[in-house]
Amino acid sequence: MKKSYYLFNPGRLSRKDNTLCFVPVDEDGNEGQPRYIPIEGVDNLYCFGSLDANSAMYNFLGKNHVSVHFFDYYEHYTGSFMAKEYLLAGKMQVEQTRHYLSDKKRMVVAKTLVEGAAFNMSKNLKYYQGRGKDVAKQLGQIDSFTPLIANAGGISELMGIEGNIRQAYYGAFGEIINDFDMGNRSKQPPQNEVNALISFGNMMCYTVCLDQIYHTQLNPTISFLHEPGARRYSLALDLSEIFKPMLVDRTIFTVLNKKQLQASDFRQDINRCVLKEGAKKVFVQAFEERLKETFKHRSLGRSVSYKHLVKLECYKLQKHLLGMEVYKPFKMMW
Amino acid sequence: MNINATLLNYYQLCHRKMWLHYHAIRMEHTSEVVYEGKLIGEESYPFRADKNEELEISLPLENEKVVLTAKIDFFDAKRGIVHETKKSAAKEWAHVAQLQFYLYLLQKNGVEVSHGVIEYPKLRQTERVILGEADVLRIEASIEKIREVLEQEQCPLKLPISKCKTCSYFEFCWVGDE
Ligand code: SF4
């Protein structure tokens, strides 16, 4: 099983035969103990500290289809190194484009994505309602917006409905999370701890979706709900709508309510709330564990991990675009 | 349209598999088995490292719309023998069919062929393959049917799930709405 590697410390990454070698470098330029990672075991790299590397290393990663995702000091996702596209399929590209170009076909996919996202958001709230949290009001709001999805006349109207649902959903976070307030959702920049975690988690989810798309024949730049170009790999934005409630939000609730993260793990910078170094590690680890969690997939009758579930979602989308089976989004059942 | 031995093999296994593979929707990159297969091909017979024996061959059919192609790993031109190595731990009909397809292509190109030999290093066995008249008819009929299926706009239907369990497309085909 290939693994994701997270590089938090600054250092130098190089190729040593068929192995990656990471040498941490501290603030004074002193080199630490090198760490060797055999390439066959690497799924992708997440780079949070500054990284020194040469083109030989990137060529090596590219050949092995390993991507590198970069984050800046404020945990912003800044971009990815993706190996040259390796699973091209003309028919797939043509059909994906055709579905984007036809308003009617595009709306079908976009609505399905929003419906899936809305379902999973309300599932999260119901789960916590079952555990004594008073989120009836927000659930009611989501329920009243959801039927509008089917009748949305265009993408911007659909986005508006999605925005309303999400706003209602985030309104319940304060009730679900014990010791922190959420306030309003503030993205750029996040103003408090919960918002900082949401932004960070959403980026992690985006990169997971991007990685999985990359291992299929889908083109990550052609999307349906989001406008292509909203981000370079806008299809990853589309897919993350489905998975954010399950992968990101649940992880946030857990790490905060189990007090794995506390107020002291955050720092208030000039006009933003920032996760301290240790907080990032805690969150990333909890997120990784979430991805590795497995469950028995009903239609496959096999045990699959949440991470793999994202790939399966890509398959369903491919089948829809090829006219094989109508796409039904993943719906959380628990 | 290029038709090769892989498509011929998939045609016998599952039309959908063949159609997907032809349209480059492929799953082999997720499978360890293929990787292992590659290694054996490269390493079992190092004395054949001389790539001159490799042979790429093609045959355009009458309408020129269909071209049959093959990459033969080792062709002994002097004796007219096609060699093929299989990592499989069991002999398979598909291996025979593949070699017959190679023999057919060579013959149609006017090359003198005698027979084929499949080597099974794991079994320490070899299998001799000949191309009979009935085989030629079967190959030609298959090619016609393959062309028909590949020309369909629509992906062919699934097989019964019991036949799919070991297929690399299993998840692709059977993931539904969970
Ligand atoms: S999973 Fe079954 S239906 Fe799908 S390609 Fe394989 S054999 Fe054919």
Side-chain angles (χ1 to χ4, degrees), chain A residues 171-228:
Chain A
F173 275 37
E175 172 67 20
I176 293 173
I177 297 167
N178 295 333
D179 298 332
F180 289 91
D181 276 334
M182 155 100 187
N184 285 328
R185 170 82 178 113
S186 52
K187 284 188 203 171
Q188 287 159 342
Q191 296 301 339
N192 60 27
E193 297 87 350
V194 179
N195 275 294
L197 281 175
I198 293 174
S199 295
F200 186 51
N202 286 351
M203 283 185 305
M204 296 299 295
C205 185
Y206 167 81
T207 59
V208 168
C209 292
L210 176 56
D211 275 320
Q212 297 302 312
I213 291 169
Y214 177 69
H215 293 294
T216 71
Q217 293 80 11
L218 289 168
N219 183 326
T221 65
I222 303 170
S223 51
F224 306 98
L225 178 59
H226 294 85
E227 213 48 67

Short mmCIF file of all heavy atoms in Angstrom, two decimals, chain A residues 171-228:
data_model
loop_
_atom_site.label_atom_id
_atom_site.label_comp_id
_atom_site.label_asym_id
_atom_site.label_seq_id
_atom_site.Cartn_x
_atom_site.Cartn_y
_atom_site.Cartn_z
N GLY A 171 -23.75 26.98 10.24
CA GLY A 171 -24.43 27.55 11.40
C GLY A 171 -24.56 26.57 12.55
O GLY A 171 -24.73 26.97 13.70
N ALA A 172 -24.48 25.29 12.24
CA ALA A 172 -24.63 24.28 13.29
C ALA A 172 -23.30 23.92 13.94
O ALA A 172 -23.27 23.23 14.96
CB ALA A 172 -25.27 23.02 12.70
N PHE A 173 -22.21 24.39 13.39
CA PHE A 173 -20.90 23.98 13.92
C PHE A 173 -20.70 24.42 15.36
O PHE A 173 -20.11 23.71 16.17
CB PHE A 173 -19.76 24.54 13.04
CG PHE A 173 -19.43 23.68 11.85
CD1 PHE A 173 -20.43 23.02 11.15
CD2 PHE A 173 -18.11 23.52 11.43
CE1 PHE A 173 -20.13 22.22 10.06
CE2 PHE A 173 -17.79 22.72 10.34
CZ PHE A 173 -18.80 22.07 9.65
N GLY A 174 -21.20 25.62 15.68
CA GLY A 174 -21.04 26.14 17.04
C GLY A 174 -21.68 25.21 18.05
O GLY A 174 -21.17 25.03 19.16
N GLU A 175 -22.79 24.61 17.66
CA GLU A 175 -23.50 23.69 18.56
C GLU A 175 -22.76 22.35 18.67
O GLU A 175 -22.66 21.77 19.75
CB GLU A 175 -24.93 23.47 18.01
CG GLU A 175 -25.74 22.40 18.70
CD GLU A 175 -26.11 22.74 20.15
OE1 GLU A 175 -26.08 23.95 20.51
OE2 GLU A 175 -26.41 21.79 20.92
N ILE A 176 -22.21 21.90 17.54
CA ILE A 176 -21.55 20.59 17.54
C ILE A 176 -20.20 20.63 18.26
O ILE A 176 -19.84 19.72 18.99
CB ILE A 176 -21.35 20.10 16.08
CG1 ILE A 176 -22.72 19.82 15.44
CG2 ILE A 176 -20.47 18.86 16.03
CD1 ILE A 176 -22.66 19.50 13.96
N ILE A 177 -19.48 21.74 18.04
CA ILE A 177 -18.14 21.84 18.63
C ILE A 177 -18.26 22.42 20.04
O ILE A 177 -18.90 23.45 20.25
CB ILE A 177 -17.25 22.74 17.74
CG1 ILE A 177 -17.08 22.08 16.37
CG2 ILE A 177 -15.89 22.94 18.39
CD1 ILE A 177 -16.50 23.01 15.32
N ASN A 178 -17.64 21.74 20.99
CA ASN A 178 -17.85 22.11 22.39
C ASN A 178 -17.25 23.44 22.82
O ASN A 178 -17.95 24.32 23.28
CB ASN A 178 -17.32 21.01 23.30
CG ASN A 178 -18.10 19.72 23.12
OD1 ASN A 178 -19.28 19.76 22.75
ND2 ASN A 178 -17.46 18.59 23.35
N ASP A 179 -15.95 23.61 22.63
CA ASP A 179 -15.29 24.74 23.28
C ASP A 179 -14.93 25.90 22.37
O ASP A 179 -14.30 26.86 22.80
CB ASP A 179 -14.00 24.26 23.97
CG ASP A 179 -14.32 23.24 25.04
OD1 ASP A 179 -15.44 23.32 25.59
OD2 ASP A 179 -13.47 22.37 25.31
N PHE A 180 -15.27 25.79 21.10
CA PHE A 180 -14.90 26.87 20.18
C PHE A 180 -16.14 27.45 19.53
O PHE A 180 -17.13 26.75 19.33
CB PHE A 180 -13.99 26.34 19.07
CG PHE A 180 -12.61 25.99 19.53
CD1 PHE A 180 -12.33 24.70 19.96
CD2 PHE A 180 -11.60 26.94 19.54
CE1 PHE A 180 -11.07 24.36 20.39
CE2 PHE A 180 -10.33 26.61 19.97
CZ PHE A 180 -10.06 25.31 20.40
N ASP A 181 -16.06 28.71 19.19
CA ASP A 181 -17.13 29.33 18.42
C ASP A 181 -16.72 29.35 16.96
O ASP A 181 -15.55 29.48 16.64
CB ASP A 181 -17.39 30.76 18.90
CG ASP A 181 -18.31 30.74 20.09
OD1 ASP A 181 -19.10 29.77 20.22
OD2 ASP A 181 -18.23 31.67 20.91
N MET A 182 -17.71 29.25 16.13
CA MET A 182 -17.41 29.28 14.70
C MET A 182 -17.64 30.68 14.14
O MET A 182 -16.91 31.15 13.29
CB MET A 182 -18.31 28.24 14.03
CG MET A 182 -18.59 28.50 12.58
SD MET A 182 -17.54 27.47 11.56
CE MET A 182 -17.95 28.13 9.96
N GLY A 183 -18.67 31.34 14.63
CA GLY A 183 -19.03 32.64 14.08
C GLY A 183 -19.43 32.48 12.64
O GLY A 183 -19.94 31.43 12.24
N ASN A 184 -19.18 33.47 11.82
CA ASN A 184 -19.46 33.33 10.39
C ASN A 184 -18.29 32.64 9.71
O ASN A 184 -17.17 32.72 10.17
CB ASN A 184 -19.68 34.70 9.76
CG ASN A 184 -21.03 35.25 10.13
OD1 ASN A 184 -22.00 34.49 10.33
ND2 ASN A 184 -21.11 36.56 10.27
N ARG A 185 -18.59 32.00 8.62
CA ARG A 185 -17.52 31.37 7.86
C ARG A 185 -16.68 32.49 7.22
O ARG A 185 -17.18 33.28 6.43
CB ARG A 185 -18.11 30.46 6.78
CG ARG A 185 -17.11 29.94 5.78
CD ARG A 185 -16.37 28.72 6.29
NE ARG A 185 -15.43 28.22 5.27
CZ ARG A 185 -14.11 28.27 5.42
NH1 ARG A 185 -13.56 28.76 6.52
NH2 ARG A 185 -13.32 27.79 4.48
N SER A 186 -15.43 32.53 7.62
CA SER A 186 -14.54 33.54 7.04
C SER A 186 -13.40 32.80 6.35
O SER A 186 -12.67 32.06 6.98
CB SER A 186 -13.99 34.46 8.13
OG SER A 186 -13.43 33.69 9.18
N LYS A 187 -13.30 32.99 5.04
CA LYS A 187 -12.33 32.21 4.31
C LYS A 187 -10.98 32.91 4.19
O LYS A 187 -9.94 32.34 4.43
CB LYS A 187 -12.84 31.94 2.89
CG LYS A 187 -13.91 30.88 2.83
CD LYS A 187 -14.20 30.56 1.38
CE LYS A 187 -15.59 29.98 1.25
NZ LYS A 187 -16.00 29.85 -0.12
N GLN A 188 -11.05 34.13 3.71
CA GLN A 188 -9.78 34.79 3.35
C GLN A 188 -9.63 36.10 4.07
O GLN A 188 -10.17 37.09 3.63
CB GLN A 188 -9.74 35.01 1.84
CG GLN A 188 -9.52 33.74 1.10
CD GLN A 188 -9.96 33.85 -0.33
OE1 GLN A 188 -10.74 34.74 -0.69
NE2 GLN A 188 -9.51 32.95 -1.16
N PRO A 189 -8.90 36.15 5.11
CA PRO A 189 -8.31 35.00 5.80
C PRO A 189 -9.24 34.48 6.89
O PRO A 189 -10.14 35.20 7.30
CB PRO A 189 -7.07 35.64 6.43
CG PRO A 189 -7.46 37.06 6.68
CD PRO A 189 -8.48 37.43 5.65
N PRO A 190 -9.02 33.25 7.33
CA PRO A 190 -9.87 32.72 8.41
C PRO A 190 -9.64 33.50 9.71
O PRO A 190 -8.50 33.79 10.06
CB PRO A 190 -9.41 31.26 8.55
CG PRO A 190 -8.14 31.14 7.80
CD PRO A 190 -8.04 32.26 6.84
N GLN A 191 -10.74 33.87 10.38
CA GLN A 191 -10.62 34.73 11.55
C GLN A 191 -10.50 33.99 12.86
O GLN A 191 -10.03 34.54 13.84
CB GLN A 191 -11.82 35.69 11.61
CG GLN A 191 -11.91 36.65 10.44
CD GLN A 191 -10.68 37.54 10.31
OE1 GLN A 191 -9.93 37.74 11.26
NE2 GLN A 191 -10.45 38.08 9.12
N ASN A 192 -10.98 32.76 12.89
CA ASN A 192 -10.85 32.03 14.17
C ASN A 192 -10.43 30.60 13.95
O ASN A 192 -10.23 30.16 12.80
CB ASN A 192 -12.17 32.12 14.96
CG ASN A 192 -13.32 31.50 14.19
OD1 ASN A 192 -13.12 30.62 13.36
ND2 ASN A 192 -14.52 31.97 14.46
N GLU A 193 -10.31 29.85 15.04
CA GLU A 193 -9.75 28.50 14.99
C GLU A 193 -10.52 27.58 14.06
O GLU A 193 -9.94 26.86 13.23
CB GLU A 193 -9.72 27.89 16.40
CG GLU A 193 -8.83 28.61 17.40
CD GLU A 193 -9.55 29.76 18.11
OE1 GLU A 193 -10.69 30.12 17.69
OE2 GLU A 193 -8.99 30.30 19.08
N VAL A 194 -11.85 27.58 14.23
CA VAL A 194 -12.65 26.64 13.43
C VAL A 194 -12.53 26.97 11.95
O VAL A 194 -12.35 26.08 11.11
CB VAL A 194 -14.13 26.67 13.88
CG1 VAL A 194 -14.95 25.71 13.03
CG2 VAL A 194 -14.25 26.29 15.35
N ASN A 195 -12.58 28.24 11.63
CA ASN A 195 -12.44 28.64 10.23
C ASN A 195 -11.07 28.27 9.67
O ASN A 195 -10.94 27.88 8.51
CB ASN A 195 -12.68 30.14 10.08
CG ASN A 195 -14.16 30.44 9.94
OD1 ASN A 195 -14.77 30.06 8.95
ND2 ASN A 195 -14.75 31.08 10.94
N ALA A 196 -10.06 28.41 10.51
CA ALA A 196 -8.71 28.05 10.05
C ALA A 196 -8.64 26.56 9.75
O ALA A 196 -8.06 26.14 8.74
CB ALA A 196 -7.68 28.42 11.12
N LEU A 197 -9.27 25.76 10.59
CA LEU A 197 -9.26 24.31 10.36
C LEU A 197 -10.07 23.94 9.11
O LEU A 197 -9.67 23.05 8.35
CB LEU A 197 -9.84 23.57 11.57
CG LEU A 197 -8.91 23.40 12.76
CD1 LEU A 197 -9.64 22.76 13.93
CD2 LEU A 197 -7.69 22.56 12.38
N ILE A 198 -11.19 24.62 8.91
CA ILE A 198 -12.00 24.32 7.72
C ILE A 198 -11.20 24.62 6.46
O ILE A 198 -11.15 23.81 5.53
CB ILE A 198 -13.32 25.12 7.72
CG1 ILE A 198 -14.24 24.65 8.85
CG2 ILE A 198 -14.05 24.96 6.38
CD1 ILE A 198 -15.50 25.48 9.00
N SER A 199 -10.56 25.76 6.44
CA SER A 199 -9.78 26.12 5.25
C SER A 199 -8.66 25.11 5.00
O SER A 199 -8.46 24.65 3.88
CB SER A 199 -9.15 27.51 5.41
OG SER A 199 -10.16 28.48 5.48
N PHE A 200 -7.98 24.78 6.07
CA PHE A 200 -6.87 23.83 5.95
C PHE A 200 -7.38 22.46 5.49
O PHE A 200 -6.87 21.86 4.54
CB PHE A 200 -6.15 23.72 7.29
CG PHE A 200 -4.91 22.87 7.24
CD1 PHE A 200 -3.94 23.08 6.28
CD2 PHE A 200 -4.71 21.86 8.18
CE1 PHE A 200 -2.79 22.30 6.24
CE2 PHE A 200 -3.57 21.08 8.14
CZ PHE A 200 -2.61 21.30 7.18
N GLY A 201 -8.43 21.98 6.15
CA GLY A 201 -8.99 20.67 5.82
C GLY A 201 -9.52 20.62 4.39
O GLY A 201 -9.34 19.63 3.69
N ASN A 202 -10.17 21.68 3.96
CA ASN A 202 -10.72 21.69 2.60
C ASN A 202 -9.60 21.58 1.56
O ASN A 202 -9.78 20.94 0.52
CB ASN A 202 -11.56 22.95 2.36
CG ASN A 202 -12.90 22.87 3.08
OD1 ASN A 202 -13.26 21.83 3.61
ND2 ASN A 202 -13.62 23.98 3.10
N MET A 203 -8.49 22.20 1.86
CA MET A 203 -7.36 22.10 0.92
C MET A 203 -6.81 20.67 0.88
O MET A 203 -6.43 20.17 -0.17
CB MET A 203 -6.23 23.04 1.33
CG MET A 203 -6.51 24.47 0.95
SD MET A 203 -5.11 25.51 1.33
CE MET A 203 -4.86 25.15 3.04
N MET A 204 -6.78 20.05 2.06
CA MET A 204 -6.31 18.67 2.10
C MET A 204 -7.25 17.78 1.28
O MET A 204 -6.81 16.90 0.55
CB MET A 204 -6.25 18.16 3.55
CG MET A 204 -5.25 18.88 4.44
SD MET A 204 -3.55 18.73 3.87
CE MET A 204 -3.27 16.99 4.05
N CYS A 205 -8.53 18.02 1.42
CA CYS A 205 -9.53 17.23 0.69
C CYS A 205 -9.37 17.44 -0.82
O CYS A 205 -9.44 16.49 -1.60
CB CYS A 205 -10.91 17.63 1.17
SG CYS A 205 -12.24 16.63 0.48
N TYR A 206 -9.14 18.68 -1.19
CA TYR A 206 -8.94 19.02 -2.60
C TYR A 206 -7.76 18.24 -3.19
O TYR A 206 -7.84 17.68 -4.28
CB TYR A 206 -8.73 20.53 -2.69
CG TYR A 206 -8.20 21.06 -4.01
CD1 TYR A 206 -9.06 21.27 -5.08
CD2 TYR A 206 -6.86 21.36 -4.16
CE1 TYR A 206 -8.59 21.77 -6.28
CE2 TYR A 206 -6.37 21.86 -5.36
CZ TYR A 206 -7.24 22.07 -6.41
OH TYR A 206 -6.77 22.56 -7.59
N THR A 207 -6.67 18.17 -2.43
CA THR A 207 -5.50 17.47 -2.97
C THR A 207 -5.74 15.96 -3.05
O THR A 207 -5.28 15.30 -3.97
CB THR A 207 -4.22 17.74 -2.15
OG1 THR A 207 -4.43 17.31 -0.81
CG2 THR A 207 -3.84 19.19 -2.17
N VAL A 208 -6.50 15.43 -2.09
CA VAL A 208 -6.82 14.00 -2.16
C VAL A 208 -7.63 13.72 -3.43
O VAL A 208 -7.36 12.77 -4.17
CB VAL A 208 -7.62 13.56 -0.91
CG1 VAL A 208 -8.21 12.16 -1.12
CG2 VAL A 208 -6.73 13.56 0.32
N CYS A 209 -8.62 14.56 -3.69
CA CYS A 209 -9.43 14.38 -4.89
C CYS A 209 -8.57 14.52 -6.14
O CYS A 209 -8.69 13.74 -7.08
CB CYS A 209 -10.57 15.41 -4.93
SG CYS A 209 -11.80 15.13 -3.64
N LEU A 210 -7.70 15.51 -6.13
CA LEU A 210 -6.82 15.72 -7.28
C LEU A 210 -5.97 14.48 -7.54
O LEU A 210 -5.83 14.02 -8.68
CB LEU A 210 -5.94 16.94 -7.02
CG LEU A 210 -4.89 17.25 -8.07
CD1 LEU A 210 -5.51 17.42 -9.43
CD2 LEU A 210 -4.11 18.51 -7.68
N ASP A 211 -5.39 13.91 -6.48
CA ASP A 211 -4.56 12.72 -6.63
C ASP A 211 -5.34 11.56 -7.22
O ASP A 211 -4.85 10.84 -8.07
CB ASP A 211 -4.00 12.30 -5.27
CG ASP A 211 -2.73 13.04 -4.93
OD1 ASP A 211 -1.91 13.24 -5.85
OD2 ASP A 211 -2.56 13.44 -3.77
N GLN A 212 -6.54 11.38 -6.74
CA GLN A 212 -7.32 10.24 -7.22
C GLN A 212 -7.75 10.45 -8.67
O GLN A 212 -7.72 9.52 -9.48
CB GLN A 212 -8.54 10.00 -6.32
CG GLN A 212 -8.18 9.64 -4.89
CD GLN A 212 -7.31 8.41 -4.79
OE1 GLN A 212 -7.59 7.38 -5.40
NE2 GLN A 212 -6.23 8.50 -4.03
N ILE A 213 -8.14 11.66 -9.01
CA ILE A 213 -8.52 11.96 -10.40
C ILE A 213 -7.33 11.67 -11.32
O ILE A 213 -7.47 11.11 -12.40
CB ILE A 213 -8.92 13.45 -10.55
CG1 ILE A 213 -10.24 13.71 -9.83
CG2 ILE A 213 -9.05 13.84 -12.03
CD1 ILE A 213 -10.58 15.19 -9.71
N TYR A 214 -6.15 12.04 -10.83
CA TYR A 214 -4.94 11.87 -11.62
C TYR A 214 -4.69 10.41 -11.98
O TYR A 214 -4.11 10.12 -13.01
CB TYR A 214 -3.76 12.44 -10.82
CG TYR A 214 -2.43 12.27 -11.48
CD1 TYR A 214 -2.11 12.96 -12.64
CD2 TYR A 214 -1.48 11.40 -10.94
CE1 TYR A 214 -0.89 12.80 -13.24
CE2 TYR A 214 -0.26 11.23 -11.53
CZ TYR A 214 0.04 11.93 -12.68
OH TYR A 214 1.25 11.76 -13.28
N HIS A 215 -5.15 9.50 -11.14
CA HIS A 215 -4.95 8.08 -11.42
C HIS A 215 -6.11 7.48 -12.22
O HIS A 215 -6.30 6.27 -12.27
CB HIS A 215 -4.74 7.30 -10.13
CG HIS A 215 -3.45 7.65 -9.45
ND1 HIS A 215 -2.22 7.37 -10.01
CD2 HIS A 215 -3.18 8.29 -8.29
CE1 HIS A 215 -1.26 7.80 -9.20
NE2 HIS A 215 -1.81 8.37 -8.16
N THR A 216 -6.94 8.35 -12.79
CA THR A 216 -7.97 7.88 -13.73
C THR A 216 -7.76 8.63 -15.03
O THR A 216 -6.85 9.44 -15.14
CB THR A 216 -9.38 8.18 -13.22
OG1 THR A 216 -9.61 9.58 -13.29
CG2 THR A 216 -9.58 7.69 -11.80
N GLN A 217 -8.64 8.39 -15.99
CA GLN A 217 -8.50 9.08 -17.28
C GLN A 217 -9.28 10.38 -17.31
O GLN A 217 -9.39 11.01 -18.36
CB GLN A 217 -8.95 8.17 -18.42
CG GLN A 217 -8.06 6.96 -18.64
CD GLN A 217 -8.36 5.84 -17.66
OE1 GLN A 217 -9.34 5.86 -16.94
NE2 GLN A 217 -7.49 4.85 -17.64
N LEU A 218 -9.84 10.80 -16.18
CA LEU A 218 -10.56 12.07 -16.17
C LEU A 218 -9.58 13.22 -16.30
O LEU A 218 -8.45 13.14 -15.81
CB LEU A 218 -11.36 12.22 -14.88
CG LEU A 218 -12.58 11.31 -14.73
CD1 LEU A 218 -13.09 11.37 -13.29
CD2 LEU A 218 -13.68 11.74 -15.70
N ASN A 219 -10.02 14.28 -16.93
CA ASN A 219 -9.19 15.47 -17.03
C ASN A 219 -9.52 16.40 -15.85
O ASN A 219 -10.64 16.87 -15.73
CB ASN A 219 -9.48 16.17 -18.35
CG ASN A 219 -8.60 17.38 -18.56
OD1 ASN A 219 -8.24 18.07 -17.60
ND2 ASN A 219 -8.23 17.64 -19.79
N PRO A 220 -8.54 16.65 -14.97
CA PRO A 220 -8.85 17.41 -13.75
C PRO A 220 -9.19 18.87 -14.00
O PRO A 220 -9.67 19.55 -13.10
CB PRO A 220 -7.57 17.28 -12.92
CG PRO A 220 -6.50 16.98 -13.90
CD PRO A 220 -7.14 16.22 -15.03
N THR A 221 -8.97 19.37 -15.21
CA THR A 221 -9.23 20.79 -15.45
C THR A 221 -10.63 21.05 -16.01
O THR A 221 -11.04 22.19 -16.12
CB THR A 221 -8.19 21.39 -16.43
OG1 THR A 221 -8.36 20.76 -17.70
CG2 THR A 221 -6.78 21.20 -15.94
N ILE A 222 -11.35 20.01 -16.36
CA ILE A 222 -12.71 20.20 -16.89
C ILE A 222 -13.72 19.83 -15.81
O ILE A 222 -13.83 18.67 -15.42
CB ILE A 222 -12.95 19.35 -18.15
CG1 ILE A 222 -11.91 19.70 -19.20
CG2 ILE A 222 -14.35 19.58 -18.68
CD1 ILE A 222 -11.92 18.76 -20.38
N SER A 223 -14.46 20.83 -15.33
CA SER A 223 -15.36 20.60 -14.21
C SER A 223 -16.78 20.96 -14.61
O SER A 223 -17.03 21.49 -15.69
CB SER A 223 -14.91 21.45 -13.04
OG SER A 223 -14.75 22.78 -13.46
N PHE A 224 -17.70 20.69 -13.70
CA PHE A 224 -19.11 20.88 -14.03
C PHE A 224 -19.80 21.88 -13.11
O PHE A 224 -20.46 22.79 -13.57
CB PHE A 224 -19.81 19.52 -14.00
CG PHE A 224 -19.12 18.54 -14.88
CD1 PHE A 224 -18.23 17.62 -14.37
CD2 PHE A 224 -19.30 18.59 -16.26
CE1 PHE A 224 -17.54 16.75 -15.20
CE2 PHE A 224 -18.62 17.73 -17.11
CZ PHE A 224 -17.74 16.81 -16.57
N LEU A 225 -19.62 21.72 -11.82
CA LEU A 225 -20.23 22.66 -10.88
C LEU A 225 -19.40 23.95 -10.83
O LEU A 225 -19.91 25.03 -11.03
CB LEU A 225 -20.31 22.01 -9.49
CG LEU A 225 -20.87 22.88 -8.38
CD1 LEU A 225 -22.28 23.34 -8.70
CD2 LEU A 225 -20.84 22.11 -7.06
N HIS A 226 -18.14 23.81 -10.55
CA HIS A 226 -17.26 24.97 -10.55
C HIS A 226 -16.89 25.32 -11.98
O HIS A 226 -16.80 24.45 -12.84
CB HIS A 226 -16.01 24.70 -9.74
CG HIS A 226 -16.31 24.51 -8.29
ND1 HIS A 226 -16.68 23.29 -7.77
CD2 HIS A 226 -16.32 25.38 -7.27
CE1 HIS A 226 -16.91 23.42 -6.48
NE2 HIS A 226 -16.71 24.68 -6.14
N GLU A 227 -16.65 26.58 -12.20
CA GLU A 227 -16.23 27.03 -13.52
C GLU A 227 -14.80 26.55 -13.74
O GLU A 227 -13.95 26.76 -12.88
CB GLU A 227 -16.30 28.56 -13.55
CG GLU A 227 -16.67 29.15 -14.87
CD GLU A 227 -17.88 28.51 -15.53
OE1 GLU A 227 -19.00 28.62 -15.01
OE2 GLU A 227 -17.68 27.88 -16.58
N PRO A 228 -14.52 25.89 -14.86
CA PRO A 228 -13.12 25.53 -15.10
C PRO A 228 -12.27 26.80 -15.02
O PRO A 228 -12.65 27.81 -15.57
CB PRO A 228 -13.13 24.95 -16.51
CG PRO A 228 -14.52 24.50 -16.73
CD PRO A 228 -15.39 25.45 -15.96
#
